[in-house]
Amino acid sequence: MRRLTTALAVAALAATGALATTSATAAPAPAGSESRGHHAKVASYVALGDSYSATGIAPLDPGPAGSECGRSDATYSHLIAAELHVKSFRDAACGGADTTDFFHSQHPDIPAQLKALRPSTQLVTMTIGGNDGNVFGGLVTSCAIASAAERQTTGSINGAPCKATYHGSWRKQIRQQTYPSVLRALRAVRHRSPEATVAILGYPQILPATGVPACYASIPISMGDVPYLDRTQRTLNHVIERAAKKAGVVFVDMAKASVGHDACQPIGTRWIEPLIGNVSTGLHPNVIGHEAMAAKALKRLGL
């Protein structure tokens, strides 16, 4: 969800006066580096989705895929392709994508993601839905700004100013708008590649279930709003799971697997990087996060 990082970066600047820093980390071996003597387990594989599918560790891919989509070869889909010794792998994921970008060009030189699919495609994976209606970008930005205002006026970070303002409106939007959009996108994938195994991954836990005061410096959200954000993310994952079942698509539950690996955890434990003081891309999976997503997807798919 590339928009999520950009939006919260603005809010974090208002809250703390600090900007996120990014440093490059070595990427894992690309999908083409399969060992001699191995045969492809999956002949044709297409990766779709937003920045949780597109954004890995620097360096980014050259050309528009890197500059406009933030696409790299360090993501879970590339790890899956390498593990399965895929003969034909196409990565169409793009940072900032929502479900409409499956059907329409997101950038002038980036085609609609569905165009990457073929009737002969055997495997499709994705994360999608978090950018629809600007849910995560809008929510975390609003909460960070509300937190900054609370801290300035009361000197406290213990309240829930975002929850007090928006109540259940974000979850309502997810249920009423995101759900049908994700379902439509999944059905379109199934239509274009009817023989493929299609899997959609839920989003790993970004924030813990309860506020951690020590985490405020890296993710400036009031303590009472941390569970509010977590509950909203759980609603998103729930509607994605519902849409997957309705469309006959495999759902890979990353929320349960990622408990204890949120962005408030130390380096080496966290799968999601914090906004400030991160080692890769803020509020997105790091190297071990992508490894975990790949492993969970492979296990869920029986591959």
Side-chain angles (χ1 to χ4, degrees):
M1 291 176 283
R2 197 179 184 188
R3 297 174 189 167
L4 187 158
T5 300
T6 303
L8 188 50
V10 175
L13 181 61
T16 67
L19 289 175
T21 57
T22 303
S23 59
T25 304
S33 58
E34 59 185 71
S35 302
R36 292 182 180 181
H38 288 282
H39 300 284
K41 298 177 181 178
V42 174
S44 178
Y45 172 23
V46 175
L48 307 175
D50 54 27
S51 59
Y52 268 56
S53 294
T55 304
I57 309 304
L60 302 179
D61 286 351
S67 61
E68 296 180 348
C69 291
R71 194 183 300 162
S72 82
D73 63 359
T75 60
Y76 71 85
S77 62
H78 287 261
L79 298 176
I80 290 173
E83 177 68 21
L84 300 181
H85 308 292
V86 173
K87 292 181 179 179
S88 174
F89 174 60
R90 304 184 71 185
D91 187 356
C94 191
D98 60 29
T99 54
T100 65
D101 298 309
F102 277 32
F103 304 92
H104 307 289
S105 177
Q106 186 174 349
H107 302 285
D109 45 5
I110 301 294
Q113 293 194 27
L114 289 177
K115 290 188 176 181
L117 299 173
R118 302 288 184 269
S120 59
T121 299
Q122 294 181 328
L123 176 64
V124 183
T125 63
M126 73 194 82
T127 54
I128 199 69
N131 289 324
D132 280 61
N134 194 30
V135 168
F136 264 108
L139 175 60
V140 296
T141 300
S142 299
C143 290
I145 292 174
S147 178
E150 178 192 49
R151 187 180 186 185
Q152 183 176 8
T153 57
T154 69
S156 173
I157 61 170
N158 294 319
C162 197
K163 179 180 179 181
T165 301
Y166 297 102
H167 303 288
S169 60
W170 293 102
R171 294 193 300 276
K172 181 179 180 180
Q173 179 179 324
I174 291 169
R175 295 187 190 101
Q176 294 184 352
Q177 299 178 28
T178 304
Y179 169 72
S181 296
V182 172
L183 178 58
R184 174 174 177 252
L186 292 178
R187 283 175 167 167
V189 172
R190 292 298 304 267
H191 178 74
R192 290 185 68 94
S193 298
E195 301 302 318
T197 297
V198 181
I200 183 168
L201 283 70
Y203 294 100
Q205 187 180 42
I206 297 174
L207 294 174
T210 58
V212 180
C215 189
Y216 186 87
S218 57
I219 302 179
I221 301 292
S222 293
M223 297 303 97
D225 281 333
V226 170
Y228 176 70
L229 279 163
D230 181 61
R231 184 181 178 188
T232 304
Q233 185 185 356
R234 285 188 279 117
T235 299
L236 174 63
N237 280 327
H238 177 66
V239 303
I240 291 171
E241 182 177 14
R242 282 180 55 211
K245 290 180 179 179
K246 187 77 171 179
V249 167
V250 175
F251 175 72
V252 181
D253 185 358
M254 290 306 306
K256 292 180 181 178
S258 60
V259 171
H261 299 283
D262 56 79
C264 289
Q265 303 304 317
I267 295 174
T269 300
R270 66 185 183 231
W271 294 356
I272 305 296
E273 286 299 300
L275 176 64
I276 301 166
N278 56 65
V279 298
S280 56
T281 304
L283 300 184
H284 286 78
N286 54 28
V287 170
I288 59 175
H290 278 288
E291 289 174 348
M293 293 170 77
K296 183 68 174 179
L298 286 166
K299 182 178 180 180
R300 179 70 177 85
L301 291 167
L303 297 172

